[in-house]
Amino acid sequence: NSSLYFDVPIIEAESQETSDVFFLYLEDVDGMDFPFSFEVTILPHVNGIPIKKFVRVVTKEDPEDDDVCSPVFPAPICFEDSVTKKRVCQCESGCWYWIWEFTLVEDNTGDKHSAYAPGMFIDHPIYQHGGCCSGNFSIPAKYDPYCVSGNPEYKLVTVDDQYYVRYFEALDLFENGIYERFTYHESKNYVPDSTNYCTGEAGYVVDRQFSRETGTHNFSNGSDLIQFKIDQRRDALDHSILSDGGWPIGSGDLFYTCHNLIVSFPFNGGRWSVVYRRSDVNYNPLETYFPEYYE
């Protein structure tokens, strides 16, 4: 009963157990007034029966916005806290100006794929791993040279719950040539030492990392290119701790409007485009990007 209705096919190769992926392509219309917005109602269905209703607003940005807007913001004001004696930096109206929405990959054939999005779990392939059970005592194979296939004590466990997920990224580009990025991700990996080969229960460890990356950028007004040079990456909550977490951002093409920013760069034989939206420093919706919101 809609004026326009599309039964959109799911892209199985990119969908996960708890998420589906589809693309909706929009063409420019001559004489369109920008920004142009309209509502889309999304109804996931099983055998034609809708299971949930989502209403989202789609906005077509003005492609000439880069003439009136800039992706950089005033540099933060830094000072030494009189109580803690630590260096504290405050942005003019709060930081986290650009919030990551998703990352799109265009492969060498021109096909586009959604690589990552906040809260999108990437499951690792399922496999089996062996160890030994001797008198109800579990022994990882790496500790016993005789714990091999063919040994009656040798047991296999199924490793089926490994994953990687990116929850959040914020990017700040400052007028003084400094940038900072906050990244929050989690991985769950198999650990033989925590595995019980007697009961067949695989052991795992969950690693969450919230990192703050700082460095320099070379953006200048009107430029459609940007380069990043990282200086350091530290724990976002305790800056005294160095961090090896987070994921890199590449130097490359830059496109921006008053509300969106895209950094596009070659990577792994394709082109990766990282899409951000301007947050307007409204922190309430940002809480939904963190895993605590899901739990």
Side-chain angles (χ1 to χ4, degrees), residues 30 43 59 72-73 143 156 190 228 230 233:
D30 293 337
L43 293 170
T59 299
V72 298
F73 298 90
Y143 296 129
L156 289 173
Y190 170 65
F228 296 95
I230 182 175
R233 186 182 290 124

Side-chain angles (χ1 to χ4, degrees), residues 174-224:
F174 297 119
E175 294 173 340
N176 62 356
I178 302 297
Y179 84 89
E180 68 175 359
R181 291 173 66 238
F182 290 85
T183 58
Y184 195 6
H185 74 274
E186 175 179 307
S187 60
K188 184 175 182 180
N189 296 305
Y190 170 65
V191 180
D193 287 20
S194 301
T195 296
N196 191 324
Y197 297 97
C198 297
T199 62
E201 183 179 0
Y204 301 92
V205 61
V206 175
D207 180 28
R208 284 185 181 176
Q209 295 196 30
F210 190 16
S211 301
R212 175 178 178 265
E213 175 184 311
T214 56
T216 58
H217 69 86
N218 69 340
F219 173 81
S220 59
N221 287 332
S223 175
D224 57 2

Side-chain angles (χ1 to χ4, degrees), residues 22 38-44 52-58:
F22 67 90
F38 59 93
E39 285 190 349
V40 169
T41 301
I42 303 172
L43 293 170
K52 194 171 180 67
K53 179 179 179 179
F54 301 90
V55 178
R56 296 292 184 265
V57 176
V58 177

Side-chain angles (χ1 to χ4, degrees), residues 277 279 281-290 293:
R277 67 172 173 84
S279 69
V281 200
N282 185 347
Y283 284 90
N284 290 332
L286 299 186
E287 295 176 358
T288 63
Y289 282 83
F290 290 90
Y293 174 82

